[in-house]
Amino acid sequence: MVSPTTLATSERESFLAVFDTISTDLVAELKNYSLPQDGVEHVKKMLAYNVPGGKLNRGLTVPSALQSLLKRSLTKDELLKSQILGWCIELLQAFFLISDDIMDGSITRRGQPCWYKQPTIGMIAINDAFICEGAIYRLLKQHFRGTPYYADLLELFHEVTYQTEVGQMMDLITAPEDSVDLNKFSIEKHAYIVEYKTAYYSFYLPIALAMRMAGIQDEVAYQQAKAVLLPLGEYFQVQDDYLDCYGSPEVIGKIGTDIEDNKCGWLIVQALERASAAQRKVLDENYGQKSPENVKAVKKVYEELRIADVYHAYEEASYARISKLIEAIDESLIPREMFVVFMNRIYKRKV
């Protein structure tokens, strides 16, 4: 019997092999645009640096979900197509991350310098982000134009991209780095930013793509999926906020900068709800400031308020709440199994 670990490794290796193929195809296609060789080499290097280096959970979810929906092993063509859709999500992720790192002034990503921090790259990275987004639609056209669900795929990617950009906008205007005003922060504002900036593209999109491939047309099924996946996305982002503060950079692959960047994160909104007048003064004076002393002062307030314990209680409550939402799914429309798999991938994650 194949162990789950071996199976997961095999799925990942198969998925990465497809990236090599589509990356080669995308680069080869550049000849249609008479791109000089130094441009070709730049795109090749950029894709390799930014797209395949993460955990790949979003992309891997598409074939896994499709298999759950079809209740059988995938054919070779189904597997390939679902993996290509998975890589389209990873390209979307690269588009967002390259841009987000520039906007946040981040230093590292996935254990290496951010792309814009690479020698000779700088603000060229903005255009590279656009190329990652454009590559999604090249792949969809190449591999899905003749399918009955091609228009649905286009609509999904356009809609989810816009939702994410709206979420990013709210994140940026709620917490501009050069104007700290903690009165703008609230649990409700945080929940909005999380839903639109993270939950749609990270959680709803992979499942919805698999559902379209499986031929599911009933909009009730999509609403049921969304009812589970958006809370799951919120839980994931709260984890991310926690790890930004308490995770080890060696383990999570980046240096957390939410405090310095004046982020409307889960930890700060929880602290604001609980802070005394004196603690609130410390937060007002130190949050969103760049020096290590300011960051240390904020973290000291977090310790005094036992925010880490608040998070662990939230994590357990979220797991119970989302488990109940999964149990409420109508299995005649969609199987619960794929949501359980998704939940187990992120529950108590460390990276």
PDB file of all heavy atoms in Angstrom, residues 269-302:
ATOM      1  N   VAL A 269      -5.668  43.634  15.317  1.00  0.00           N
ATOM      2  CA  VAL A 269      -7.083  43.959  15.597  1.00  0.00           C
ATOM      3  C   VAL A 269      -7.549  43.269  16.877  1.00  0.00           C
ATOM      4  O   VAL A 269      -8.374  43.819  17.619  1.00  0.00           O
ATOM      5  CB  VAL A 269      -8.018  43.645  14.404  1.00  0.00           C
ATOM      6  CG1 VAL A 269      -7.633  44.469  13.178  1.00  0.00           C
ATOM      7  CG2 VAL A 269      -8.067  42.169  14.075  1.00  0.00           C
ATOM      8  N   GLN A 270      -7.000  42.083  17.156  1.00  0.00           N
ATOM      9  CA  GLN A 270      -7.329  41.420  18.420  1.00  0.00           C
ATOM     10  C   GLN A 270      -6.728  42.191  19.598  1.00  0.00           C
ATOM     11  O   GLN A 270      -7.368  42.338  20.657  1.00  0.00           O
ATOM     12  CB  GLN A 270      -6.810  39.978  18.416  1.00  0.00           C
ATOM     13  CG  GLN A 270      -7.470  39.069  17.393  1.00  0.00           C
ATOM     14  CD  GLN A 270      -8.960  38.907  17.606  1.00  0.00           C
ATOM     15  OE1 GLN A 270      -9.429  38.848  18.756  1.00  0.00           O
ATOM     16  NE2 GLN A 270      -9.712  38.837  16.523  1.00  0.00           N
ATOM     17  N   ALA A 271      -5.519  42.679  19.428  1.00  0.00           N
ATOM     18  CA  ALA A 271      -4.873  43.451  20.496  1.00  0.00           C
ATOM     19  C   ALA A 271      -5.633  44.748  20.765  1.00  0.00           C
ATOM     20  O   ALA A 271      -5.823  45.140  21.926  1.00  0.00           O
ATOM     21  CB  ALA A 271      -3.426  43.752  20.119  1.00  0.00           C
ATOM     22  N   LEU A 272      -6.094  45.410  19.714  1.00  0.00           N
ATOM     23  CA  LEU A 272      -6.835  46.663  19.879  1.00  0.00           C
ATOM     24  C   LEU A 272      -8.142  46.445  20.635  1.00  0.00           C
ATOM     25  O   LEU A 272      -8.586  47.314  21.396  1.00  0.00           O
ATOM     26  CB  LEU A 272      -7.115  47.303  18.516  1.00  0.00           C
ATOM     27  CG  LEU A 272      -5.889  47.839  17.765  1.00  0.00           C
ATOM     28  CD1 LEU A 272      -6.261  48.243  16.348  1.00  0.00           C
ATOM     29  CD2 LEU A 272      -5.263  49.017  18.509  1.00  0.00           C
ATOM     30  N   GLU A 273      -8.752  45.275  20.431  1.00  0.00           N
ATOM     31  CA  GLU A 273      -9.997  44.955  21.134  1.00  0.00           C
ATOM     32  C   GLU A 273      -9.769  44.773  22.635  1.00  0.00           C
ATOM     33  O   GLU A 273     -10.677  44.972  23.429  1.00  0.00           O
ATOM     34  CB  GLU A 273     -10.596  43.655  20.559  1.00  0.00           C
ATOM     35  CG  GLU A 273     -11.229  43.808  19.195  1.00  0.00           C
ATOM     36  CD  GLU A 273     -12.652  44.339  19.287  1.00  0.00           C
ATOM     37  OE1 GLU A 273     -13.451  43.777  20.054  1.00  0.00           O
ATOM     38  OE2 GLU A 273     -12.956  45.339  18.603  1.00  0.00           O
ATOM     39  N   ARG A 274      -8.543  44.378  23.010  1.00  0.00           N
ATOM     40  CA  ARG A 274      -8.267  43.976  24.392  1.00  0.00           C
ATOM     41  C   ARG A 274      -7.373  44.956  25.159  1.00  0.00           C
ATOM     42  O   ARG A 274      -7.235  44.830  26.374  1.00  0.00           O
ATOM     43  CB  ARG A 274      -7.601  42.582  24.393  1.00  0.00           C
ATOM     44  CG  ARG A 274      -8.508  41.483  23.890  1.00  0.00           C
ATOM     45  CD  ARG A 274      -7.709  40.212  23.573  1.00  0.00           C
ATOM     46  NE  ARG A 274      -8.596  39.073  23.342  1.00  0.00           N
ATOM     47  CZ  ARG A 274      -9.266  38.876  22.201  1.00  0.00           C
ATOM     48  NH1 ARG A 274      -9.120  39.739  21.202  1.00  0.00           N
ATOM     49  NH2 ARG A 274     -10.070  37.834  22.074  1.00  0.00           N
ATOM     50  N   ALA A 275      -6.761  45.883  24.460  1.00  0.00           N
ATOM     51  CA  ALA A 275      -5.722  46.727  25.078  1.00  0.00           C
ATOM     52  C   ALA A 275      -6.291  47.702  26.109  1.00  0.00           C
ATOM     53  O   ALA A 275      -7.372  48.262  25.930  1.00  0.00           O
ATOM     54  CB  ALA A 275      -4.978  47.503  24.000  1.00  0.00           C
ATOM     55  N   SER A 276      -5.526  47.902  27.169  1.00  0.00           N
ATOM     56  CA  SER A 276      -5.826  48.974  28.129  1.00  0.00           C
ATOM     57  C   SER A 276      -5.432  50.299  27.491  1.00  0.00           C
ATOM     58  O   SER A 276      -4.799  50.327  26.414  1.00  0.00           O
ATOM     59  CB  SER A 276      -5.025  48.761  29.409  1.00  0.00           C
ATOM     60  OG  SER A 276      -3.635  48.906  29.135  1.00  0.00           O
ATOM     61  N   ALA A 277      -5.755  51.392  28.154  1.00  0.00           N
ATOM     62  CA  ALA A 277      -5.380  52.709  27.630  1.00  0.00           C
ATOM     63  C   ALA A 277      -3.866  52.826  27.480  1.00  0.00           C
ATOM     64  O   ALA A 277      -3.355  53.361  26.476  1.00  0.00           O
ATOM     65  CB  ALA A 277      -5.921  53.807  28.542  1.00  0.00           C
ATOM     66  N   ALA A 278      -3.125  52.309  28.449  1.00  0.00           N
ATOM     67  CA  ALA A 278      -1.663  52.382  28.391  1.00  0.00           C
ATOM     68  C   ALA A 278      -1.110  51.521  27.261  1.00  0.00           C
ATOM     69  O   ALA A 278      -0.185  51.929  26.533  1.00  0.00           O
ATOM     70  CB  ALA A 278      -1.063  51.942  29.729  1.00  0.00           C
ATOM     71  N   GLN A 279      -1.674  50.325  27.100  1.00  0.00           N
ATOM     72  CA  GLN A 279      -1.219  49.438  26.024  1.00  0.00           C
ATOM     73  C   GLN A 279      -1.583  50.017  24.663  1.00  0.00           C
ATOM     74  O   GLN A 279      -0.797  49.921  23.708  1.00  0.00           O
ATOM     75  CB  GLN A 279      -1.833  48.048  26.212  1.00  0.00           C
ATOM     76  CG  GLN A 279      -1.261  47.287  27.400  1.00  0.00           C
ATOM     77  CD  GLN A 279      -2.071  46.052  27.745  1.00  0.00           C
ATOM     78  OE1 GLN A 279      -3.300  46.038  27.598  1.00  0.00           O
ATOM     79  NE2 GLN A 279      -1.403  45.007  28.221  1.00  0.00           N
ATOM     80  N   ARG A 280      -2.751  50.624  24.574  1.00  0.00           N
ATOM     81  CA  ARG A 280      -3.158  51.246  23.306  1.00  0.00           C
ATOM     82  C   ARG A 280      -2.187  52.358  22.925  1.00  0.00           C
ATOM     83  O   ARG A 280      -1.828  52.530  21.759  1.00  0.00           O
ATOM     84  CB  ARG A 280      -4.587  51.791  23.420  1.00  0.00           C
ATOM     85  CG  ARG A 280      -5.064  52.619  22.215  1.00  0.00           C
ATOM     86  CD  ARG A 280      -5.051  51.796  20.924  1.00  0.00           C
ATOM     87  NE  ARG A 280      -5.285  52.640  19.770  1.00  0.00           N
ATOM     88  CZ  ARG A 280      -6.444  52.663  19.099  1.00  0.00           C
ATOM     89  NH1 ARG A 280      -7.462  51.916  19.487  1.00  0.00           N
ATOM     90  NH2 ARG A 280      -6.579  53.428  18.032  1.00  0.00           N
ATOM     91  N   LYS A 281      -1.741  53.106  23.908  1.00  0.00           N
ATOM     92  CA  LYS A 281      -0.767  54.179  23.646  1.00  0.00           C
ATOM     93  C   LYS A 281       0.529  53.615  23.075  1.00  0.00           C
ATOM     94  O   LYS A 281       1.103  54.160  22.128  1.00  0.00           O
ATOM     95  CB  LYS A 281      -0.492  54.945  24.939  1.00  0.00           C
ATOM     96  CG  LYS A 281       0.393  56.179  24.777  1.00  0.00           C
ATOM     97  CD  LYS A 281       0.451  56.965  26.076  1.00  0.00           C
ATOM     98  CE  LYS A 281       1.203  58.286  25.899  1.00  0.00           C
ATOM     99  NZ  LYS A 281       2.625  58.086  25.619  1.00  0.00           N
ATOM    100  N   VAL A 282       0.984  52.485  23.641  1.00  0.00           N
ATOM    101  CA  VAL A 282       2.196  51.833  23.138  1.00  0.00           C
ATOM    102  C   VAL A 282       1.995  51.389  21.684  1.00  0.00           C
ATOM    103  O   VAL A 282       2.875  51.581  20.825  1.00  0.00           O
ATOM    104  CB  VAL A 282       2.574  50.620  24.015  1.00  0.00           C
ATOM    105  CG1 VAL A 282       3.725  49.830  23.388  1.00  0.00           C
ATOM    106  CG2 VAL A 282       2.956  51.080  25.417  1.00  0.00           C
ATOM    107  N   LEU A 283       0.848  50.810  21.385  1.00  0.00           N
ATOM    108  CA  LEU A 283       0.563  50.365  20.022  1.00  0.00           C
ATOM    109  C   LEU A 283       0.512  51.545  19.058  1.00  0.00           C
ATOM    110  O   LEU A 283       1.072  51.485  17.962  1.00  0.00           O
ATOM    111  CB  LEU A 283      -0.762  49.587  19.982  1.00  0.00           C
ATOM    112  CG  LEU A 283      -0.787  48.255  20.746  1.00  0.00           C
ATOM    113  CD1 LEU A 283      -2.184  47.657  20.744  1.00  0.00           C
ATOM    114  CD2 LEU A 283       0.218  47.259  20.163  1.00  0.00           C
ATOM    115  N   ASP A 284      -0.158  52.629  19.463  1.00  0.00           N
ATOM    116  CA  ASP A 284      -0.247  53.820  18.604  1.00  0.00           C
ATOM    117  C   ASP A 284       1.127  54.390  18.304  1.00  0.00           C
ATOM    118  O   ASP A 284       1.393  54.860  17.189  1.00  0.00           O
ATOM    119  CB  ASP A 284      -1.105  54.901  19.279  1.00  0.00           C
ATOM    120  CG  ASP A 284      -2.597  54.624  19.172  1.00  0.00           C
ATOM    121  OD1 ASP A 284      -3.010  54.014  18.156  1.00  0.00           O
ATOM    122  OD2 ASP A 284      -3.344  55.002  20.086  1.00  0.00           O
ATOM    123  N   GLU A 285       2.013  54.360  19.274  1.00  0.00           N
ATOM    124  CA  GLU A 285       3.330  54.977  19.117  1.00  0.00           C
ATOM    125  C   GLU A 285       4.328  54.090  18.369  1.00  0.00           C
ATOM    126  O   GLU A 285       5.306  54.600  17.808  1.00  0.00           O
ATOM    127  CB  GLU A 285       3.907  55.321  20.497  1.00  0.00           C
ATOM    128  CG  GLU A 285       3.159  56.452  21.198  1.00  0.00           C
ATOM    129  CD  GLU A 285       3.656  56.685  22.625  1.00  0.00           C
ATOM    130  OE1 GLU A 285       4.454  55.847  23.112  1.00  0.00           O
ATOM    131  OE2 GLU A 285       3.244  57.693  23.238  1.00  0.00           O
ATOM    132  N   ASN A 286       4.083  52.777  18.339  1.00  0.00           N
ATOM    133  CA  ASN A 286       5.097  51.859  17.799  1.00  0.00           C
ATOM    134  C   ASN A 286       4.665  51.057  16.572  1.00  0.00           C
ATOM    135  O   ASN A 286       5.532  50.629  15.800  1.00  0.00           O
ATOM    136  CB  ASN A 286       5.538  50.884  18.897  1.00  0.00           C
ATOM    137  CG  ASN A 286       6.320  51.569  20.000  1.00  0.00           C
ATOM    138  OD1 ASN A 286       7.515  51.809  19.873  1.00  0.00           O
ATOM    139  ND2 ASN A 286       5.635  51.916  21.088  1.00  0.00           N
ATOM    140  N   TYR A 287       3.368  50.839  16.397  1.00  0.00           N
ATOM    141  CA  TYR A 287       2.923  50.033  15.251  1.00  0.00           C
ATOM    142  C   TYR A 287       3.163  50.797  13.948  1.00  0.00           C
ATOM    143  O   TYR A 287       2.962  52.011  13.862  1.00  0.00           O
ATOM    144  CB  TYR A 287       1.436  49.691  15.367  1.00  0.00           C
ATOM    145  CG  TYR A 287       1.044  48.495  14.506  1.00  0.00           C
ATOM    146  CD1 TYR A 287       1.293  47.200  14.935  1.00  0.00           C
ATOM    147  CD2 TYR A 287       0.451  48.669  13.258  1.00  0.00           C
ATOM    148  CE1 TYR A 287       0.957  46.095  14.164  1.00  0.00           C
ATOM    149  CE2 TYR A 287       0.110  47.579  12.472  1.00  0.00           C
ATOM    150  CZ  TYR A 287       0.370  46.293  12.928  1.00  0.00           C
ATOM    151  OH  TYR A 287       0.033  45.211  12.147  1.00  0.00           O
ATOM    152  N   GLY A 288       3.637  50.072  12.934  1.00  0.00           N
ATOM    153  CA  GLY A 288       3.901  50.693  11.640  1.00  0.00           C
ATOM    154  C   GLY A 288       5.228  51.432  11.570  1.00  0.00           C
ATOM    155  O   GLY A 288       5.514  52.104  10.579  1.00  0.00           O
ATOM    156  N   GLN A 289       6.058  51.289  12.597  1.00  0.00           N
ATOM    157  CA  GLN A 289       7.392  51.906  12.611  1.00  0.00           C
ATOM    158  C   GLN A 289       8.436  50.837  12.261  1.00  0.00           C
ATOM    159  O   GLN A 289       8.252  49.663  12.537  1.00  0.00           O
ATOM    160  CB  GLN A 289       7.687  52.513  13.978  1.00  0.00           C
ATOM    161  CG  GLN A 289       6.613  53.465  14.487  1.00  0.00           C
ATOM    162  CD  GLN A 289       6.365  54.633  13.537  1.00  0.00           C
ATOM    163  OE1 GLN A 289       7.295  55.195  12.959  1.00  0.00           O
ATOM    164  NE2 GLN A 289       5.091  54.982  13.350  1.00  0.00           N
ATOM    165  N   LYS A 290       9.535  51.279  11.687  1.00  0.00           N
ATOM    166  CA  LYS A 290      10.488  50.329  11.088  1.00  0.00           C
ATOM    167  C   LYS A 290      11.554  49.789  12.030  1.00  0.00           C
ATOM    168  O   LYS A 290      12.168  48.760  11.741  1.00  0.00           O
ATOM    169  CB  LYS A 290      11.189  50.988   9.892  1.00  0.00           C
ATOM    170  CG  LYS A 290      10.256  51.399   8.756  1.00  0.00           C
ATOM    171  CD  LYS A 290       9.605  50.204   8.090  1.00  0.00           C
ATOM    172  CE  LYS A 290       8.780  50.608   6.884  1.00  0.00           C
ATOM    173  NZ  LYS A 290       8.080  49.459   6.280  1.00  0.00           N
ATOM    174  N   SER A 291      11.811  50.447  13.140  1.00  0.00           N
ATOM    175  CA  SER A 291      12.954  50.035  13.952  1.00  0.00           C
ATOM    176  C   SER A 291      12.642  48.777  14.760  1.00  0.00           C
ATOM    177  O   SER A 291      11.488  48.547  15.162  1.00  0.00           O
ATOM    178  CB  SER A 291      13.369  51.155  14.898  1.00  0.00           C
ATOM    179  OG  SER A 291      12.532  51.174  16.037  1.00  0.00           O
ATOM    180  N   PRO A 292      13.659  47.952  15.014  1.00  0.00           N
ATOM    181  CA  PRO A 292      13.465  46.746  15.832  1.00  0.00           C
ATOM    182  C   PRO A 292      12.905  47.058  17.221  1.00  0.00           C
ATOM    183  O   PRO A 292      12.157  46.258  17.778  1.00  0.00           O
ATOM    184  CB  PRO A 292      14.876  46.148  15.924  1.00  0.00           C
ATOM    185  CG  PRO A 292      15.587  46.663  14.713  1.00  0.00           C
ATOM    186  CD  PRO A 292      15.040  48.035  14.484  1.00  0.00           C
ATOM    187  N   GLU A 293      13.250  48.224  17.766  1.00  0.00           N
ATOM    188  CA  GLU A 293      12.747  48.602  19.095  1.00  0.00           C
ATOM    189  C   GLU A 293      11.232  48.794  19.069  1.00  0.00           C
ATOM    190  O   GLU A 293      10.527  48.400  19.999  1.00  0.00           O
ATOM    191  CB  GLU A 293      13.418  49.899  19.570  1.00  0.00           C
ATOM    192  CG  GLU A 293      14.894  49.758  19.922  1.00  0.00           C
ATOM    193  CD  GLU A 293      15.793  49.649  18.691  1.00  0.00           C
ATOM    194  OE1 GLU A 293      15.341  50.061  17.583  1.00  0.00           O
ATOM    195  OE2 GLU A 293      16.933  49.154  18.832  1.00  0.00           O
ATOM    196  N   ASN A 294      10.723  49.406  17.986  1.00  0.00           N
ATOM    197  CA  ASN A 294       9.278  49.585  17.841  1.00  0.00           C
ATOM    198  C   ASN A 294       8.568  48.242  17.732  1.00  0.00           C
ATOM    199  O   ASN A 294       7.525  48.014  18.361  1.00  0.00           O
ATOM    200  CB  ASN A 294       8.960  50.430  16.606  1.00  0.00           C
ATOM    201  CG  ASN A 294       9.475  51.858  16.701  1.00  0.00           C
ATOM    202  OD1 ASN A 294      10.212  52.308  15.841  1.00  0.00           O
ATOM    203  ND2 ASN A 294       9.076  52.573  17.745  1.00  0.00           N
ATOM    204  N   VAL A 295       9.140  47.370  16.922  1.00  0.00           N
ATOM    205  CA  VAL A 295       8.547  46.030  16.735  1.00  0.00           C
ATOM    206  C   VAL A 295       8.527  45.274  18.063  1.00  0.00           C
ATOM    207  O   VAL A 295       7.527  44.640  18.424  1.00  0.00           O
ATOM    208  CB  VAL A 295       9.327  45.230  15.665  1.00  0.00           C
ATOM    209  CG1 VAL A 295       8.816  43.792  15.589  1.00  0.00           C
ATOM    210  CG2 VAL A 295       9.215  45.916  14.311  1.00  0.00           C
ATOM    211  N   LYS A 296       9.635  45.377  18.799  1.00  0.00           N
ATOM    212  CA  LYS A 296       9.730  44.701  20.093  1.00  0.00           C
ATOM    213  C   LYS A 296       8.674  45.220  21.060  1.00  0.00           C
ATOM    214  O   LYS A 296       8.066  44.439  21.818  1.00  0.00           O
ATOM    215  CB  LYS A 296      11.133  44.921  20.675  1.00  0.00           C
ATOM    216  CG  LYS A 296      11.419  44.124  21.935  1.00  0.00           C
ATOM    217  CD  LYS A 296      12.865  44.336  22.381  1.00  0.00           C
ATOM    218  CE  LYS A 296      13.159  43.556  23.660  1.00  0.00           C
ATOM    219  NZ  LYS A 296      14.564  43.748  24.102  1.00  0.00           N
ATOM    220  N   ALA A 297       8.406  46.518  21.031  1.00  0.00           N
ATOM    221  CA  ALA A 297       7.402  47.106  21.927  1.00  0.00           C
ATOM    222  C   ALA A 297       6.002  46.576  21.597  1.00  0.00           C
ATOM    223  O   ALA A 297       5.209  46.282  22.499  1.00  0.00           O
ATOM    224  CB  ALA A 297       7.438  48.625  21.812  1.00  0.00           C
ATOM    225  N   VAL A 298       5.705  46.453  20.322  1.00  0.00           N
ATOM    226  CA  VAL A 298       4.400  45.911  19.911  1.00  0.00           C
ATOM    227  C   VAL A 298       4.271  44.458  20.344  1.00  0.00           C
ATOM    228  O   VAL A 298       3.241  44.041  20.903  1.00  0.00           O
ATOM    229  CB  VAL A 298       4.211  46.037  18.385  1.00  0.00           C
ATOM    230  CG1 VAL A 298       2.937  45.306  17.933  1.00  0.00           C
ATOM    231  CG2 VAL A 298       4.141  47.501  17.967  1.00  0.00           C
ATOM    232  N   LYS A 299       5.314  43.680  20.113  1.00  0.00           N
ATOM    233  CA  LYS A 299       5.269  42.265  20.481  1.00  0.00           C
ATOM    234  C   LYS A 299       5.151  42.082  22.001  1.00  0.00           C
ATOM    235  O   LYS A 299       4.545  41.108  22.464  1.00  0.00           O
ATOM    236  CB  LYS A 299       6.506  41.540  19.945  1.00  0.00           C
ATOM    237  CG  LYS A 299       6.485  41.364  18.424  1.00  0.00           C
ATOM    238  CD  LYS A 299       7.637  40.506  17.931  1.00  0.00           C
ATOM    239  CE  LYS A 299       7.552  40.262  16.434  1.00  0.00           C
ATOM    240  NZ  LYS A 299       8.638  39.388  15.937  1.00  0.00           N
ATOM    241  N   LYS A 300       5.706  43.015  22.747  1.00  0.00           N
ATOM    242  CA  LYS A 300       5.586  42.948  24.206  1.00  0.00           C
ATOM    243  C   LYS A 300       4.116  43.112  24.622  1.00  0.00           C
ATOM    244  O   LYS A 300       3.629  42.412  25.516  1.00  0.00           O
ATOM    245  CB  LYS A 300       6.448  44.025  24.864  1.00  0.00           C
ATOM    246  CG  LYS A 300       6.498  43.936  26.394  1.00  0.00           C
ATOM    247  CD  LYS A 300       7.526  44.909  26.966  1.00  0.00           C
ATOM    248  CE  LYS A 300       7.683  44.728  28.474  1.00  0.00           C
ATOM    249  NZ  LYS A 300       6.456  45.070  29.217  1.00  0.00           N
ATOM    250  N   VAL A 301       3.409  44.016  23.962  1.00  0.00           N
ATOM    251  CA  VAL A 301       1.978  44.167  24.239  1.00  0.00           C
ATOM    252  C   VAL A 301       1.225  42.889  23.866  1.00  0.00           C
ATOM    253  O   VAL A 301       0.340  42.436  24.596  1.00  0.00           O
ATOM    254  CB  VAL A 301       1.388  45.385  23.500  1.00  0.00           C
ATOM    255  CG1 VAL A 301      -0.130  45.443  23.660  1.00  0.00           C
ATOM    256  CG2 VAL A 301       2.020  46.676  24.009  1.00  0.00           C
ATOM    257  N   TYR A 302       1.592  42.295  22.725  1.00  0.00           N
ATOM    258  CA  TYR A 302       0.970  41.025  22.328  1.00  0.00           C
ATOM    259  C   TYR A 302       1.167  39.968  23.423  1.00  0.00           C
ATOM    260  O   TYR A 302       0.233  39.202  23.732  1.00  0.00           O
ATOM    261  CB  TYR A 302       1.579  40.507  21.022  1.00  0.00           C
ATOM    262  CG  TYR A 302       1.186  41.251  19.764  1.00  0.00           C
ATOM    263  CD1 TYR A 302       1.764  40.922  18.537  1.00  0.00           C
ATOM    264  CD2 TYR A 302       0.250  42.282  19.783  1.00  0.00           C
ATOM    265  CE1 TYR A 302       1.425  41.589  17.374  1.00  0.00           C
ATOM    266  CE2 TYR A 302      -0.100  42.956  18.616  1.00  0.00           C
ATOM    267  CZ  TYR A 302       0.495  42.600  17.412  1.00  0.00           C
ATOM    268  OH  TYR A 302       0.157  43.258  16.259  1.00  0.00           O
TER     269      TYR A 302
END
